[in-house]
Amino acid sequence: MKVLVTGGAGFIGSALIKLWLREDPRVSVVNLDKLTYAGDLRRLESLKNNPRHQFIQGDICSAEVVEKAMEGCTHVVHLAAETHVDRSLLDGKAFFDTNLYGTYQLLDAACRKRVKRLVFVSTDEVYGSRERGFFKEGDALNPSSPYSVSKAAGDLLTRSYVHTHGLDAVVTRGANTFGSHQYPEKVIPLFVSRALSDQPLPLYGDGGQVRNWIHVEDHCRGILRVFEKGKKGEAYNISSPHYLKNLDLTRRILKILGKSESLIQKVKDRAGHDRRYALNSDKLQKLGWKTRSSFDQALEETVRWYQNNESWWRAITDRSEHFKNYYEKAYAGKQ
Ligand code: NAD
Ligand code: DAU
């Protein structure tokens, strides 16, 4: 089985490839990634001499690049995306280029090449926010940020290819994912890295927004289960039992690090900030998947990973002009 994985130099894509190659000797991977600011080959160091992993730097928006990368591939797992909500509020163009047009290029090539199965990795954000209860897969999509709209568009487009072209495709909708090697714009690595530098942690609004947190390995195992057992044309939620308000998450991070809560700085809220994400994942559990990690242990291990690998994230937070410019632009008006 030769699988084209897009976005495999990203946080989840790299974890997925490493897990898959480790656990399934039948699989070889072609990893197509543009290496945007979020792509990082340091995540793939352990695969350097692995003959079952081939890396191609390229843009999924190019029909030619996609055509070549898909040559000889029997399956596709599509994770490549612009992924940060705050960036989509500053400039949405790249989100619609990659998340919609790039997805179209992949779906079109997958049909022409008669790929056996394509997985589109979507997100819980496509349902929008709800104060109570849990979204099921049949619920209407009601996304509210340019990021989540671009993902919902890719999600719907994928299912339209099943309907109109008979492509064997499935969709996963995963919750907020955490673990090692995550780009330090996302809240957990951002807050850990800032706390370790004794810098204030910019908590949006009242910090009462609720997120469902899933460890990256549990999310990847969910994607693989849908790849193997999901029914053509269906979507599957991937969530965990761990719901936390942002303020409580921040306090836990500070406690693990032994840092003072005075580092918390409440700042202007994210525009259109979704209050609560919550999913029912019974459908995936019926395929034999469940979360394996204990949240407390996984959070502690994750925080310790950033503590023990300062050079990894400091190469971004302290030395990347791109990161510094982004941070200034995104947070300047929030103080
Ligand atoms: P990430 O930002 O860490 O990685 C995205 C990767 O895609 C990067 O390596 C980047 O270089 C690559 N990429 C971007 N544009 C590209 C293009 N035009 N062509 C080729 N490659 C391109 O993201 P992540 O957190 O690993 O998320 C992976 C997928 O999972 C995304 O589709 C995201 O929407 C989805 N998802 C993420 C989460 C989460 O909490 N992180 C939760 C649910 C779903
Ligand atoms: O829910 C799945 C989604 O989770 C994925 O689809 C996205 O790709 C991923 O980026 C993530 O989106 P969020 O917006 O939920 O993640 P983020 O880490 O940006 O923020 C998590 C929560 O923390 C959110 O409620 C906003 C808050 N936050 C975030 C940042 C960066 C703050 O309070 N301060 C911050 O500086």
Side-chain angles (χ1 to χ4, degrees), residues 82-86 122-125 147 151 174-177 182 185-191 201-205 207 209-213 246 249-250 267 269-270 273-275 277 326-327 331 334:
E82 288 293 331
T83 62
H84 197 47
V85 174
D86 290 315
S122 186
T123 166
D124 62 356
E125 298 200 15
Y147 163 69
K151 290 297 293 185
N176 275 70
T177 307
Q182 190 170 26
E185 66 190 350
K186 305 291 196 280
V187 74
I188 291 181
L190 178 72
F191 281 11
L201 314 186
L203 185 70
Y204 295 161
Q209 302 80 12
V210 173
R211 292 292 180 269
N212 179 238
W213 288 101
N246 291 338
L249 174 72
T250 309
V267 298
D269 209 352
R270 172 185 277 176
H273 200 170
D274 283 338
R275 195 71 186 163
Y277 297 139
Y326 159 73
Y327 193 86
Y331 291 85
K334 289 197 191 296

Side-chain angles (χ1 to χ4, degrees), residues 10-12 33-34 36 39 59-60 79 83 98 122 147 151 175 177:
F11 165 55
I12 301 174
D33 194 297
K34 185 179 174 182
T36 65
D59 188 340
I60 58 163
L79 299 105
T83 62
T98 292
S122 186
Y147 163 69
K151 290 297 293 185
T177 307

Side-chain angles (χ1 to χ4, degrees), residues 208-236:
Q209 302 80 12
V210 173
R211 292 292 180 269
N212 179 238
W213 288 101
I214 185 163
H215 187 256
V216 64
E217 196 164 311
D218 282 327
H219 189 164
C220 290
R221 287 189 192 283
I223 295 170
L224 293 180
R225 185 48 60 109
V226 172
F227 175 88
E228 286 157 11
K229 298 241 157 94
K231 196 169 154 217
K232 177 178 170 182
E234 297 284 314
Y236 294 84

Side-chain angles (χ1 to χ4, degrees), residues 307-324:
Q307 193 172 31
N308 296 329
N309 290 275
E310 276 206 27
S311 62
W312 190 88
W313 53 265
R314 283 204 188 279
I316 301 167
T317 58
D318 298 10
R319 288 191 285 286
S320 153
E321 286 311 310
H322 175 92
F323 180 86
K324 288 194 232 170

